[in-house]
């Protein structure tokens, strides 16, 4: 039997299956078949057939309440994709280090945490180091704040409700309403600062990567003695340019051949 084609030349059933996975991701938890039918506009028999296939493959699971959620098999795919994202972004991070002289990072938002997927260290003997693969709550990091500042406020509030807002230093934001106002200022400014909020004596400048397949941000971090507030005014535009270059490269890579 010939595969059913979609209007853009792809396989329609495959396109619909991925749409369902994205719908499940958008729910932030789980959904029923009827909810998926309503949100996707697909007929119930089609939803049922696709979900049954995705469950059998491990990409969707059915909970005890008979509602559906994303399956554990997607975790490995997501983690590998994030690491590959970091691998091909490294040349731009290296360019960033060459220009500003401080450590450059790339992080993504994954399951309510920011995960560092790439880093190019500064050449200074005293430099910042964050292990690739390290996970942190987003409210206490520059990359996390840059990412959250470009998400809907209701989504951010829900995320913070799940994670809480533990204090890492006396400078960490721990009040949801104050933090949401802070995110508005970040969105207007175009970059986020971590002012010793994760670790005392460390300053970070972070910019979101617009158009990334998952929320992501580029950052530069260093000791406050070098990464002064005056230095930030010089460094922030460079980080913004590199984030824009990364975004442009993503758009190019996603264009069909």
């Amino acid at each position: 039997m010939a595969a059913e084609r979609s209007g853009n030349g792809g396989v329609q059933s495959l396109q619909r299956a991925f749409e369902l996975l994205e719908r499940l991701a958008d729910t932030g938890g789980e959904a029923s078949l009827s909810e998926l039918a309503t949100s996707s506009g697909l007929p119930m028999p089609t939803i049922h057939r696709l979900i049954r296939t995705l469950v059998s493959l491990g990409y969707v699971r059915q909970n005890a309440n008979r509602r559906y959620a994303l399956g554990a098999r997607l975790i490995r795919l997501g983690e590998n994709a994030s690491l590959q994202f970091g691998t091909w972004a490294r040349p731009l991070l290296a360019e960033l280090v060459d220009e500003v002289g401080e450590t450059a990072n790339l992080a993504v938002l994954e399951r309510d945490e920011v995960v560092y997927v790439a880093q190019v260290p500064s050449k200074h003997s005293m430099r910042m180091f964050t292990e690739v693969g390290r996970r942190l709550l987003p409210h206490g990091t520059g990359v996390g704040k840059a990412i959250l500042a470009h998400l809907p406020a209701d989504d951010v509030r829900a995320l913070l409700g799940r994670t809480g807002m533990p204090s890492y230093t006396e400078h960490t934001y721990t009040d949801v309403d104050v933090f949401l106002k802070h995110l508005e200022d970040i969105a207007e400014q175009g970059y986020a600062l971590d002012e010793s909020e994760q670790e005392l004596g460390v300053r970070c400048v972070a910019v979101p990567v617009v158009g990334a397949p998952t929320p992501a941000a580029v950052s530069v971090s260093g000791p406050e003695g070098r990464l002064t507030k005056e230095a930030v005014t010089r460094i922030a535009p460079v980080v913004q340019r590199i984030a824009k270059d990364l975004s442009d490269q993503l758009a190019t890579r996603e264009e069909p051949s």
Side-chain angles (χ1 to χ4, degrees):
M1 181 184 296
E4 186 179 4
R5 296 286 173 177
S6 67
N8 60 11
V11 179
Q12 189 177 62
S13 58
L14 185 60
Q15 180 177 320
R16 287 173 167 177
F18 277 102
E19 181 182 350
L20 287 182
L21 291 174
E22 291 183 357
R23 298 283 179 180
L24 279 173
D26 289 342
T27 67
E30 58 184 26
S32 66
L33 289 179
S34 61
E35 288 169 345
L36 289 172
T38 299
S39 64
S40 68
L42 294 175
M44 184 64 79
T46 300
I47 297 274
H48 192 269
R49 184 176 68 253
L50 292 172
I51 285 292
R52 188 171 63 241
T53 301
L54 291 169
V55 168
S56 70
L57 294 172
Y59 295 116
V60 170
R61 71 174 190 273
Q62 185 177 29
N63 294 332
N65 59 4
R66 302 190 63 78
R67 292 166 67 83
Y68 294 88
L70 296 178
R73 196 167 182 184
L74 288 169
I75 295 173
R76 180 175 63 86
L77 295 181
E79 289 178 343
N80 285 336
S82 293
L83 290 174
Q84 289 179 22
F85 180 24
T87 297
W88 66 257
R90 279 183 61 85
L92 282 173
L93 296 183
E95 180 181 333
L96 182 54
V97 173
D98 287 343
E99 289 201 41
V100 304
E102 301 294 347
T103 298
N105 312 281
L106 175 66
V108 300
L109 184 65
E110 190 176 278
R111 287 174 282 159
D112 292 347
E113 298 173 313
V114 287
V115 184
Y116 288 84
V117 296
Q119 181 180 86
V120 175
S122 163
K123 296 177 176 62
H124 292 290
S125 57
M126 180 182 179
R127 58 180 180 246
M128 300 302 104
F129 176 78
T130 299
E131 183 181 358
V132 171
R134 186 183 183 192
R135 294 176 173 270
L136 294 169
L137 295 182
H139 74 285
T141 67
V143 286
K145 294 195 298 180
I147 291 170
L148 295 183
H150 286 75
L151 296 180
D154 288 345
D155 291 353
V156 176
R157 190 180 289 274
L159 183 153
L160 296 174
R162 294 189 295 269
T163 64
M165 297 182 70
S167 177
Y168 300 110
T169 74
E170 62 264 36
H171 304 291
T172 309
Y173 284 85
T174 57
D175 181 279
V176 173
D177 293 323
V178 173
F179 185 67
L180 288 174
K181 178 62 175 67
H182 177 54
L183 294 182
E184 291 177 7
D185 295 338
I186 289 172
E188 183 176 346
Q189 180 174 253
Y191 62 88
L193 290 178
D194 171 358
E195 304 268 23
S196 289
E197 295 159 45
Q198 179 67 40
E199 184 178 347
L200 290 175
V202 176
R203 181 169 281 126
C204 172
V205 184
V207 177
V209 180
V210 178
T214 189
V218 172
S219 72
V220 163
S221 56
E224 288 180 329
R226 286 201 310 263
L227 201 56
T228 62
K229 291 186 177 181
E230 290 74 21
V232 166
T233 62
R234 172 181 59 84
I235 289 173
V238 183
V239 183
Q240 289 173 318
R241 193 194 77 232
I242 293 295
K244 174 66 164 54
D245 289 347
L246 187 51
S247 178
D248 291 344
Q249 285 194 12
L250 278 169
T252 301
R253 283 171 176 262
E254 289 176 357
E255 290 178 358
S257 58

